[in-house]
mmCIF file of all heavy atoms in Angstrom:
data_model
loop_
_atom_site.group_PDB
_atom_site.id
_atom_site.type_symbol
_atom_site.label_atom_id
_atom_site.label_comp_id
_atom_site.label_asym_id
_atom_site.label_seq_id
_atom_site.Cartn_x
_atom_site.Cartn_y
_atom_site.Cartn_z
ATOM 1 N N GLU H 76 4.880 -36.462 -10.965
ATOM 2 C CA GLU H 76 4.179 -35.256 -11.425
ATOM 3 C C GLU H 76 4.962 -34.027 -10.965
ATOM 4 O O GLU H 76 5.548 -34.036 -9.882
ATOM 5 C CB GLU H 76 2.775 -35.200 -10.816
ATOM 6 C CG GLU H 76 1.942 -36.441 -11.039
ATOM 7 C CD GLU H 76 1.594 -36.645 -12.495
ATOM 8 O OE1 GLU H 76 1.493 -35.634 -13.205
ATOM 9 O OE2 GLU H 76 1.450 -37.802 -12.924
ATOM 10 N N PRO H 77 4.947 -32.950 -11.769
ATOM 11 C CA PRO H 77 5.624 -31.736 -11.328
ATOM 12 C C PRO H 77 4.928 -31.153 -10.104
ATOM 13 O O PRO H 77 3.719 -31.244 -9.972
ATOM 14 C CB PRO H 77 5.511 -30.792 -12.526
ATOM 15 C CG PRO H 77 4.456 -31.359 -13.389
ATOM 16 C CD PRO H 77 4.358 -32.817 -13.109
ATOM 17 N N GLY H 78 5.683 -30.613 -9.201
ATOM 18 C CA GLY H 78 5.090 -30.046 -7.989
ATOM 19 C C GLY H 78 6.184 -29.607 -7.058
ATOM 20 O O GLY H 78 7.369 -29.821 -7.326
ATOM 21 N N ILE H 79 5.791 -29.017 -5.933
ATOM 22 C CA ILE H 79 6.815 -28.438 -5.073
ATOM 23 C C ILE H 79 7.690 -29.500 -4.399
ATOM 24 O O ILE H 79 8.785 -29.219 -3.982
ATOM 25 C CB ILE H 79 6.193 -27.520 -3.993
ATOM 26 C CG1 ILE H 79 5.155 -28.269 -3.158
ATOM 27 C CG2 ILE H 79 5.614 -26.271 -4.592
ATOM 28 C CD1 ILE H 79 4.697 -27.491 -1.932
ATOM 29 N N PHE H 80 7.182 -30.728 -4.279
ATOM 30 C CA PHE H 80 7.957 -31.762 -3.596
ATOM 31 C C PHE H 80 8.662 -32.712 -4.565
ATOM 32 O O PHE H 80 9.072 -33.796 -4.175
ATOM 33 C CB PHE H 80 7.051 -32.575 -2.668
ATOM 34 C CG PHE H 80 6.584 -31.791 -1.473
ATOM 35 C CD1 PHE H 80 5.248 -31.489 -1.304
ATOM 36 C CD2 PHE H 80 7.487 -31.349 -0.521
ATOM 37 C CE1 PHE H 80 4.819 -30.754 -0.209
ATOM 38 C CE2 PHE H 80 7.070 -30.617 0.579
ATOM 39 C CZ PHE H 80 5.736 -30.318 0.735
ATOM 40 N N LYS H 81 8.807 -32.317 -5.832
ATOM 41 C CA LYS H 81 9.318 -33.268 -6.822
ATOM 42 C C LYS H 81 10.760 -33.707 -6.530
ATOM 43 O O LYS H 81 11.184 -34.740 -6.999
ATOM 44 C CB LYS H 81 9.190 -32.721 -8.231
ATOM 45 C CG LYS H 81 10.046 -31.522 -8.521
ATOM 46 C CD LYS H 81 9.834 -31.076 -9.949
ATOM 47 C CE LYS H 81 10.613 -29.812 -10.220
ATOM 48 N NZ LYS H 81 10.392 -29.294 -11.554
ATOM 49 N N SER H 82 11.498 -32.904 -5.757
ATOM 50 C CA SER H 82 12.884 -33.287 -5.494
ATOM 51 C C SER H 82 13.031 -34.047 -4.177
ATOM 52 O O SER H 82 14.133 -34.313 -3.728
ATOM 53 C CB SER H 82 13.763 -32.032 -5.461
ATOM 54 O OG SER H 82 13.252 -31.130 -4.510
ATOM 55 N N VAL H 83 11.909 -34.405 -3.543
ATOM 56 C CA VAL H 83 11.967 -35.082 -2.246
ATOM 57 C C VAL H 83 11.435 -36.504 -2.408
ATOM 58 O O VAL H 83 10.391 -36.711 -3.029
ATOM 59 C CB VAL H 83 11.097 -34.325 -1.206
ATOM 60 C CG1 VAL H 83 11.175 -35.006 0.146
ATOM 61 C CG2 VAL H 83 11.541 -32.877 -1.095
ATOM 62 N N SER H 84 12.151 -37.465 -1.842
ATOM 63 C CA SER H 84 11.696 -38.849 -1.893
ATOM 64 C C SER H 84 10.338 -38.967 -1.208
ATOM 65 O O SER H 84 10.110 -38.365 -0.157
ATOM 66 C CB SER H 84 12.725 -39.729 -1.182
ATOM 67 O OG SER H 84 12.106 -40.699 -0.386
ATOM 68 N N ILE H 85 9.436 -39.753 -1.813
ATOM 69 C CA ILE H 85 8.070 -39.800 -1.251
ATOM 70 C C ILE H 85 8.058 -40.456 0.125
ATOM 71 O O ILE H 85 7.230 -40.134 0.960
ATOM 72 C CB ILE H 85 7.065 -40.501 -2.196
ATOM 73 C CG1 ILE H 85 7.560 -41.866 -2.633
ATOM 74 C CG2 ILE H 85 6.760 -39.634 -3.379
ATOM 75 C CD1 ILE H 85 6.527 -42.638 -3.442
ATOM 76 N N ARG H 86 8.985 -41.388 0.364
ATOM 77 C CA ARG H 86 9.015 -42.014 1.693
ATOM 78 C C ARG H 86 9.474 -41.008 2.749
ATOM 79 O O ARG H 86 8.948 -40.953 3.850
ATOM 80 C CB ARG H 86 9.940 -43.225 1.683
ATOM 81 C CG ARG H 86 9.385 -44.365 0.860
ATOM 82 C CD ARG H 86 10.384 -45.483 0.756
ATOM 83 N NE ARG H 86 9.950 -46.470 -0.214
ATOM 84 C CZ ARG H 86 10.733 -47.385 -0.751
ATOM 85 N NH1 ARG H 86 11.995 -47.443 -0.399
ATOM 86 N NH2 ARG H 86 10.265 -48.240 -1.620
ATOM 87 N N LYS H 87 10.478 -40.234 2.393
ATOM 88 C CA LYS H 87 10.967 -39.229 3.345
ATOM 89 C C LYS H 87 9.887 -38.169 3.599
ATOM 90 O O LYS H 87 9.670 -37.752 4.734
ATOM 91 C CB LYS H 87 12.236 -38.565 2.803
ATOM 92 C CG LYS H 87 12.908 -37.675 3.833
ATOM 93 C CD LYS H 87 14.080 -36.931 3.254
ATOM 94 C CE LYS H 87 15.281 -37.815 3.095
ATOM 95 N NZ LYS H 87 16.458 -37.047 2.625
ATOM 96 N N LEU H 88 9.186 -37.776 2.535
ATOM 97 C CA LEU H 88 8.104 -36.816 2.700
ATOM 98 C C LEU H 88 7.024 -37.393 3.618
ATOM 99 O O LEU H 88 6.489 -36.707 4.497
ATOM 100 C CB LEU H 88 7.512 -36.467 1.325
ATOM 101 C CG LEU H 88 6.399 -35.426 1.324
ATOM 102 C CD1 LEU H 88 6.876 -34.101 1.901
ATOM 103 C CD2 LEU H 88 5.857 -35.227 -0.091
ATOM 104 N N GLY H 89 6.728 -38.691 3.424
ATOM 105 C CA GLY H 89 5.740 -39.352 4.280
ATOM 106 C C GLY H 89 6.167 -39.337 5.731
ATOM 107 O O GLY H 89 5.355 -39.061 6.630
ATOM 108 N N MET H 90 7.446 -39.599 5.992
ATOM 109 C CA MET H 90 7.938 -39.592 7.373
ATOM 110 C C MET H 90 7.836 -38.196 7.966
ATOM 111 O O MET H 90 7.444 -38.023 9.120
ATOM 112 C CB MET H 90 9.390 -40.106 7.409
ATOM 113 C CG MET H 90 10.015 -40.100 8.781
ATOM 114 S SD MET H 90 9.050 -40.940 10.067
ATOM 115 C CE MET H 90 9.594 -42.630 9.892
ATOM 116 N N TRP H 91 8.150 -37.176 7.159
ATOM 117 C CA TRP H 91 8.064 -35.809 7.677
ATOM 118 C C TRP H 91 6.619 -35.415 7.985
ATOM 119 O O TRP H 91 6.347 -34.735 8.969
ATOM 120 C CB TRP H 91 8.715 -34.814 6.706
ATOM 121 C CG TRP H 91 10.187 -34.651 6.993
ATOM 122 C CD1 TRP H 91 11.223 -35.119 6.251
ATOM 123 C CD2 TRP H 91 10.764 -34.007 8.133
ATOM 124 N NE1 TRP H 91 12.419 -34.804 6.857
ATOM 125 C CE2 TRP H 91 12.175 -34.117 8.009
ATOM 126 C CE3 TRP H 91 10.254 -33.353 9.239
ATOM 127 C CZ2 TRP H 91 13.060 -33.598 8.945
ATOM 128 C CZ3 TRP H 91 11.122 -32.833 10.191
ATOM 129 C CH2 TRP H 91 12.512 -32.964 10.033
ATOM 130 N N LEU H 92 5.696 -35.873 7.143
ATOM 131 C CA LEU H 92 4.283 -35.556 7.416
ATOM 132 C C LEU H 92 3.820 -36.274 8.682
ATOM 133 O O LEU H 92 3.039 -35.742 9.468
ATOM 134 C CB LEU H 92 3.411 -35.940 6.210
ATOM 135 C CG LEU H 92 3.649 -35.080 4.966
ATOM 136 C CD1 LEU H 92 2.764 -35.548 3.815
ATOM 137 C CD2 LEU H 92 3.372 -33.608 5.260
ATOM 138 N N PHE H 93 4.324 -37.500 8.894
ATOM 139 C CA PHE H 93 4.019 -38.223 10.131
ATOM 140 C C PHE H 93 4.570 -37.442 11.327
ATOM 141 O O PHE H 93 3.894 -37.280 12.361
ATOM 142 C CB PHE H 93 4.634 -39.629 10.070
ATOM 143 C CG PHE H 93 4.568 -40.378 11.366
ATOM 144 C CD1 PHE H 93 3.348 -40.778 11.897
ATOM 145 C CD2 PHE H 93 5.729 -40.671 12.069
ATOM 146 C CE1 PHE H 93 3.294 -41.460 13.103
ATOM 147 C CE2 PHE H 93 5.679 -41.354 13.270
ATOM 148 C CZ PHE H 93 4.452 -41.743 13.786
ATOM 149 N N ILE H 94 5.782 -36.916 11.183
ATOM 150 C CA ILE H 94 6.392 -36.137 12.272
ATOM 151 C C ILE H 94 5.561 -34.879 12.545
ATOM 152 O O ILE H 94 5.370 -34.490 13.697
ATOM 153 C CB ILE H 94 7.868 -35.807 11.932
ATOM 154 C CG1 ILE H 94 8.715 -37.076 12.072
ATOM 155 C CG2 ILE H 94 8.415 -34.696 12.834
ATOM 156 C CD1 ILE H 94 10.142 -36.945 11.604
ATOM 157 N N VAL H 95 5.038 -34.264 11.476
ATOM 158 C CA VAL H 95 4.172 -33.089 11.666
ATOM 159 C C VAL H 95 2.964 -33.469 12.526
ATOM 160 O O VAL H 95 2.581 -32.751 13.456
ATOM 161 C CB VAL H 95 3.726 -32.530 10.295
ATOM 162 C CG1 VAL H 95 2.539 -31.584 10.443
ATOM 163 C CG2 VAL H 95 4.878 -31.802 9.625
ATOM 164 N N SER H 96 2.355 -34.635 12.237
ATOM 165 C CA SER H 96 1.193 -35.068 13.030
ATOM 166 C C SER H 96 1.607 -35.320 14.481
ATOM 167 O O SER H 96 0.847 -35.059 15.413
ATOM 168 C CB SER H 96 0.550 -36.313 12.418
ATOM 169 O OG SER H 96 1.349 -37.452 12.652
ATOM 170 N N GLU H 97 2.825 -35.808 14.671
ATOM 171 C CA GLU H 97 3.325 -36.048 16.030
ATOM 172 C C GLU H 97 3.590 -34.726 16.772
ATOM 173 O O GLU H 97 3.418 -34.649 17.985
ATOM 174 C CB GLU H 97 4.629 -36.865 15.972
ATOM 175 C CG GLU H 97 4.431 -38.299 15.544
ATOM 176 C CD GLU H 97 3.900 -39.156 16.677
ATOM 177 O OE1 GLU H 97 2.726 -39.009 17.011
ATOM 178 O OE2 GLU H 97 4.656 -39.959 17.224
ATOM 179 N N ILE H 98 4.001 -33.690 16.027
ATOM 180 C CA ILE H 98 4.192 -32.377 16.652
ATOM 181 C C ILE H 98 2.849 -31.897 17.216
ATOM 182 O O ILE H 98 2.763 -31.399 18.337
ATOM 183 C CB ILE H 98 4.766 -31.349 15.641
ATOM 184 C CG1 ILE H 98 6.186 -31.731 15.229
ATOM 185 C CG2 ILE H 98 4.770 -29.935 16.249
ATOM 186 C CD1 ILE H 98 6.769 -30.870 14.108
ATOM 187 N N PHE H 99 1.773 -32.088 16.436
ATOM 188 C CA PHE H 99 0.438 -31.714 16.919
ATOM 189 C C PHE H 99 0.085 -32.510 18.174
ATOM 190 O O PHE H 99 -0.441 -31.981 19.143
ATOM 191 C CB PHE H 99 -0.617 -31.969 15.838
ATOM 192 C CG PHE H 99 -0.674 -30.897 14.794
ATOM 193 C CD1 PHE H 99 -0.464 -31.181 13.467
ATOM 194 C CD2 PHE H 99 -0.953 -29.587 15.149
ATOM 195 C CE1 PHE H 99 -0.510 -30.194 12.498
ATOM 196 C CE2 PHE H 99 -1.005 -28.587 14.199
ATOM 197 C CZ PHE H 99 -0.783 -28.893 12.864
ATOM 198 N N PHE H 100 0.364 -33.816 18.131
ATOM 199 C CA PHE H 100 0.018 -34.708 19.241
ATOM 200 C C PHE H 100 0.695 -34.243 20.541
ATOM 201 O O PHE H 100 0.037 -34.036 21.564
ATOM 202 C CB PHE H 100 0.458 -36.138 18.873
ATOM 203 C CG PHE H 100 0.217 -37.152 19.948
ATOM 204 C CD1 PHE H 100 -1.046 -37.685 20.147
ATOM 205 C CD2 PHE H 100 1.249 -37.573 20.765
ATOM 206 C CE1 PHE H 100 -1.271 -38.617 21.148
ATOM 207 C CE2 PHE H 100 1.034 -38.509 21.764
ATOM 208 C CZ PHE H 100 -0.233 -39.032 21.951
ATOM 209 N N PHE H 101 2.009 -34.062 20.477
ATOM 210 C CA PHE H 101 2.730 -33.687 21.698
ATOM 211 C C PHE H 101 2.415 -32.244 22.114
ATOM 212 O O PHE H 101 2.406 -31.934 23.300
ATOM 213 C CB PHE H 101 4.233 -33.890 21.520
ATOM 214 C CG PHE H 101 4.640 -35.317 21.747
ATOM 215 C CD1 PHE H 101 4.941 -36.152 20.694
ATOM 216 C CD2 PHE H 101 4.704 -35.835 23.031
ATOM 217 C CE1 PHE H 101 5.289 -37.478 20.904
ATOM 218 C CE2 PHE H 101 5.051 -37.149 23.264
ATOM 219 C CZ PHE H 101 5.347 -37.982 22.189
ATOM 220 N N SER H 102 2.145 -31.371 21.140
ATOM 221 C CA SER H 102 1.794 -29.992 21.499
ATOM 222 C C SER H 102 0.494 -29.963 22.273
ATOM 223 O O SER H 102 0.347 -29.195 23.232
ATOM 224 C CB SER H 102 1.640 -29.138 20.248
ATOM 225 O OG SER H 102 2.820 -29.178 19.517
ATOM 226 N N ALA H 103 -0.475 -30.801 21.874
ATOM 227 C CA ALA H 103 -1.749 -30.852 22.582
ATOM 228 C C ALA H 103 -1.527 -31.319 24.022
ATOM 229 O O ALA H 103 -2.088 -30.752 24.967
ATOM 230 C CB ALA H 103 -2.711 -31.783 21.861
ATOM 231 N N ILE H 104 -0.691 -32.326 24.195
ATOM 232 C CA ILE H 104 -0.441 -32.865 25.537
ATOM 233 C C ILE H 104 0.296 -31.837 26.404
ATOM 234 O O ILE H 104 -0.081 -31.583 27.551
ATOM 235 C CB ILE H 104 0.377 -34.173 25.428
ATOM 236 C CG1 ILE H 104 -0.525 -35.275 24.892
ATOM 237 C CG2 ILE H 104 0.964 -34.566 26.772
ATOM 238 C CD1 ILE H 104 0.204 -36.537 24.581
ATOM 239 N N ILE H 105 1.337 -31.220 25.842
ATOM 240 C CA ILE H 105 2.116 -30.246 26.617
ATOM 241 C C ILE H 105 1.257 -29.006 26.897
ATOM 242 O O ILE H 105 1.253 -28.468 28.010
ATOM 243 C CB ILE H 105 3.422 -29.879 25.872
ATOM 244 C CG1 ILE H 105 4.341 -31.108 25.785
ATOM 245 C CG2 ILE H 105 4.149 -28.733 26.583
ATOM 246 C CD1 ILE H 105 5.549 -30.935 24.891
ATOM 247 N N GLY H 106 0.505 -28.543 25.889
ATOM 248 C CA GLY H 106 -0.360 -27.382 26.073
ATOM 249 C C GLY H 106 -1.410 -27.628 27.142
ATOM 250 O O GLY H 106 -1.665 -26.777 28.000
ATOM 251 N N ASN H 107 -1.994 -28.815 27.118
ATOM 252 C CA ASN H 107 -2.991 -29.187 28.112
ATOM 253 C C ASN H 107 -2.379 -29.191 29.516
ATOM 254 O O ASN H 107 -2.979 -28.703 30.480
ATOM 255 C CB ASN H 107 -3.529 -30.572 27.748
ATOM 256 C CG ASN H 107 -4.650 -31.001 28.649
ATOM 257 O OD1 ASN H 107 -5.450 -30.179 29.058
ATOM 258 N ND2 ASN H 107 -4.702 -32.276 28.965
ATOM 259 N N SER H 108 -1.169 -29.711 29.619
ATOM 260 C CA SER H 108 -0.495 -29.761 30.923
ATOM 261 C C SER H 108 -0.180 -28.355 31.435
ATOM 262 O O SER H 108 -0.316 -28.078 32.628
ATOM 263 C CB SER H 108 0.796 -30.579 30.808
ATOM 264 O OG SER H 108 0.483 -31.882 30.387
ATOM 265 N N LEU H 109 0.245 -27.477 30.505
ATOM 266 C CA LEU H 109 0.511 -26.089 30.916
ATOM 267 C C LEU H 109 -0.768 -25.418 31.400
ATOM 268 O O LEU H 109 -0.760 -24.682 32.397
ATOM 269 C CB LEU H 109 1.109 -25.296 29.746
ATOM 270 C CG LEU H 109 2.554 -25.626 29.373
ATOM 271 C CD1 LEU H 109 2.953 -24.874 28.101
ATOM 272 C CD2 LEU H 109 3.507 -25.266 30.500
#
Side-chain angles (χ1 to χ4, degrees):
Chain H
E76 306 294 331
I79 56 170
F80 290 115
K81 66 180 176 183
S82 56
V83 181
S84 138
I85 52 174
R86 291 174 190 164
K87 189 185 284 185
L88 182 60
M90 178 52 87
W91 271 108
L92 292 179
F93 171 67
I94 287 173
V95 164
S96 74
E97 290 282 73
I98 293 173
F99 280 121
F100 178 79
F101 278 104
S102 302
I104 287 173
I105 294 171
N107 185 36
S108 300
L109 288 174

